[in-house]
Amino acid sequence: MIARPRFNPVWPAAIAALICAAPLLAVAALAVFGPWTDYMAHIATTRLPAYLGHSAAVMVIAAGLAALIGAPLAWLVSRYVFPGRAVFEWLLALPLAMPAYAAAYAWYDLTQAAGPLGFLPTVRGPVGAGLMFALTLYPYVYLLAREAFAGQSADAYEAARTLGDQPRSAFLRAALPLARPAIAAGLALVVMESLADYGAVVHLGAPTLSVGVIRAWAGEGATADAARLAMILVVIAFALFAVERGQRRRARQSAPSGKRRPPRRVRLSGMGAWLAALACAAPIALGLVVPMLRLGALALDAPVARGLIDAAGNSLFLAAISGLVAAVLGFAAAYALRSGRKRGIFAARLAGLGYAVPGSVAALGVLAMFGAMQTGLDAAWRSAFGSVFPALLTGSVLALIFAYQSRFAAAAISPAESALARVTPTLDMAARTLGAGPAATAWRVHRPLVSSGAMLAGLLVFVEVLKELPATMILRPFNFETLAVAAHNYASDERLGQAALPALLIALIALPPMIWIARRITGQEATR
């Protein structure tokens, strides 16, 4: 019998869960107990149908196109050999470094009437927004589908071919159904990110529920009504989150055993080989290279945005601190899962819910929560010293980092869990037999084995925080700009040239970590 490790991870995991769940609980409380105004009744009959319609259209278009791009390319690099396949395998994940709103700035400028590609339909509205999300988020589908295809046994596909199916029908009848849970999980992530976006849908004129939340809060000052709109988003996001978790579980359950027969890659030649390479290059060009080139060209022709160095420093500071904290919280939750204790598992799973909460909702929750705390501190401070407590909580960097952890710490749990899976309980037992305590075991045995997993967890959150716009807009301190906020402010003022450089810098800073992440993920799968 394998003994459980002595380290009790329940409390660290409970703290992680509390951080992730507290803003959501605050939003729910505000929605239920907050004051009602005429704004909610007004918006229910005027803008809400458009918000719902745009949200549905953007979700369907983004998911449909992401599936059409991600799944076939995953099949192509998993089962065929063609020029550049080994490089395309990780290059195809890189468009995740490009924020959807930055791609929207570039493509809108390219396709507007006076733009270089003005002969094409202008990228705008729900169709344009859905296209931008598909081009920048399809890697979620690609990475999960690629893992599923690479893990399939050759038996089912070859049986279909033996029975007379052509490659296309064998793919549709044998390979695709087995990979469907992984593809569905990737699509759920695409839809959740699309729902959470603010910058792209505003710029392209397709306001969704996320926009409605921010307009209710910032434009009308109706915080409780904003919370009620946010709860609609939360219900949709949690439904998608449940689908994603369920499909991932199904994908793991249908994973092949150790007796699977790995498929042999088919070598393409002639025109087929070059068409395959072209198919892989196209989404990278459309989702990453073309937007970067256009943003670079716009930046060269425009005055440099004011305060750009400070904004870049603030973005790097927030992303780095958030990545470090999220890696710690992710490992706390992963230790709880590894322990097998029910309370720890519950706390870790609760912490994972945060990823389903859009940034605007997390920010609203932090505002409500910190506002209530500030009110309580004011009352206590006034009774003791006759004045209000200093405004240290709302509108501070602390509030921002708290919201980021609530939103993104969950993204660090999966890599941390995977890293800890490599530490077998027998290693713990051997260390304890040699006299090492829990802390010494964690430092001397676990740390070397999980360090790359911790780096992956931290970098994932680093990239996400770098791109995050809605939560930063709502919670940033006065005169505290980030690259995302600077780009959005200039784009909102129709100064796209000055918005280009901060938007381009986000992609350039996010690109090196994304290359490392993509190479590590595809390299790990290749060695299985």
Side-chain angles (χ1 to χ4, degrees):
M1 177 179 177
I2 298 173
R4 290 174 174 172
R6 291 169 57 193
F7 172 61
N8 186 345
V10 172
W11 286 112
I15 292 170
L18 186 64
I19 289 173
C20 296
L24 181 60
L25 295 176
V27 170
L30 186 61
V32 174
F33 300 111
W36 288 84
T37 67
D38 294 337
Y39 180 73
M40 195 64 196
H42 166 71
I43 203 171
T45 56
T46 55
R47 296 179 185 172
L48 188 57
Y51 290 154
L52 292 171
H54 287 152
S55 299
V58 166
M59 285 192 300
V60 169
I61 294 168
L65 292 177
L68 288 176
I69 298 170
L73 291 180
W75 174 252
L76 201 57
V77 299
S78 301
R79 295 300 179 94
Y80 294 92
V81 176
F82 50 90
R85 190 204 70 82
V87 178
F88 283 126
E89 198 169 28
W90 57 269
L91 275 181
L92 282 165
L94 296 192
L96 274 179
M98 174 63 68
Y101 52 83
Y105 301 158
W107 276 107
Y108 175 77
D109 183 72
L110 282 168
T111 57
Q112 64 177 333
L117 301 179
F119 55 90
L120 294 175
T122 305
V123 172
R124 61 180 306 166
V127 175
L131 177 62
M132 291 301 101
F133 293 130
L135 288 176
T136 54
L137 300 175
Y138 80 83
Y140 286 129
V141 180
Y142 162 74
L143 288 170
L144 290 171
R146 182 195 161 282
E147 182 180 7
F149 287 136
Q152 285 179 7
S153 173
D155 295 339
Y157 180 78
E158 290 183 0
R161 294 281 286 133
T162 305
L163 293 173
D165 280 347
Q166 295 299 311
R168 178 173 170 274
S169 58
F171 165 72
L172 293 174
R173 294 178 58 188
L176 189 60
L178 291 173
R180 193 173 294 152
I183 295 170
L187 290 178
L189 291 173
V190 171
V191 173
M192 280 195 286
E193 291 285 342
S194 305
L195 267 181
D197 179 83
Y198 175 77
V201 291
V202 162
H203 189 73
L204 298 178
T208 57
L209 277 168
S210 183
V211 176
V213 171
I214 292 180
R215 284 179 177 171
W217 169 76
E220 304 295 332
T223 308
D225 292 332
R228 291 176 188 115
L229 286 175
M231 290 311 295
I232 302 175
L233 260 181
V234 169
V235 170
I236 299 173
F238 274 10
L240 292 167
F241 185 74
V243 169
E244 193 261 348
R245 292 288 102 178
Q247 294 300 324
R248 278 188 189 249
R249 199 175 302 117
R250 283 186 59 191
R252 281 197 296 269
Q253 288 169 354
S254 60
S257 68
K259 296 180 180 178
R260 78 178 183 93
R261 191 162 59 88
R264 285 190 305 173
R265 291 196 178 102
V266 178
R267 181 172 294 279
L268 297 175
S269 59
M271 182 64 73
W274 291 109
L275 285 177
L278 183 63
C280 290
I284 301 167
L286 296 176
L288 183 66
V289 178
V290 172
M292 288 183 77
L293 291 176
R294 187 56 188 168
L295 291 173
L298 286 172
L300 287 175
D301 290 337
V304 177
R306 287 180 301 172
L308 197 60
I309 294 177
D310 289 341
N314 293 337
S315 290
L316 284 170
F317 170 75
L318 289 173
I321 293 292
S322 300
L324 285 173
V325 175
V328 173
L329 293 177
F331 269 91
Y335 265 109
L337 293 170
R338 184 174 183 259
S339 74
R341 293 181 172 88
K342 289 182 180 178
R343 284 177 297 174
I345 292 173
F346 174 76
R349 294 304 180 206
L350 189 61
L353 290 179
Y355 198 69
V357 179
S360 55
V361 179
L364 204 62
V366 170
L367 269 183
M369 191 176 65
F370 279 18
M373 292 170 64
Q374 184 79 43
T375 302
L377 287 171
D378 284 347
W381 199 261
R382 188 180 291 110
S383 64
F385 303 102
S387 61
V388 297
F389 190 80
L392 295 178
L393 299 178
T394 54
S396 68
V397 171
L398 176 64
L400 261 179
I401 292 175
F402 192 98
Y404 292 149
Q405 296 311 312
S406 171
R407 173 92 170 85
F408 297 122
I413 295 177
S414 290
E417 192 179 353
S418 299
L420 274 179
R422 292 197 293 273
V423 184
T424 61
T426 52
L427 284 176
D428 293 56
M429 296 170 63
R432 290 200 298 275
T433 304
L434 295 172
T441 302
W443 180 253
R444 297 172 63 183
V445 178
H446 296 179
R447 181 181 57 81
L449 294 172
V450 304
S451 56
S452 63
M455 191 169 173
L456 176 60
L459 286 177
L460 279 172
V461 176
F462 177 91
V463 172
E464 293 288 354
V465 171
L466 205 61
K467 298 189 296 180
E468 172 63 26
L469 176 62
T472 314
M473 275 180 51
I474 293 175
L475 291 173
R476 68 194 167 99
F478 182 68
N479 272 345
F480 187 89
E481 299 285 341
T482 65
L483 291 172
V485 173
H488 171 72
N489 288 342
Y490 281 116
S492 300
D493 293 341
E494 302 295 334
R495 289 185 286 177
L496 211 51
Q498 287 172 283
L501 187 54
L504 179 63
L505 283 177
I506 295 173
L508 288 174
I509 295 172
L511 208 49
M514 268 311 304
I515 290 173
W516 187 86
I517 291 168
R519 296 198 66 167
R520 188 175 185 278
I521 290 174
T522 53
Q524 271 185 346
E525 290 163 9
T527 58
R528 287 174 188 169

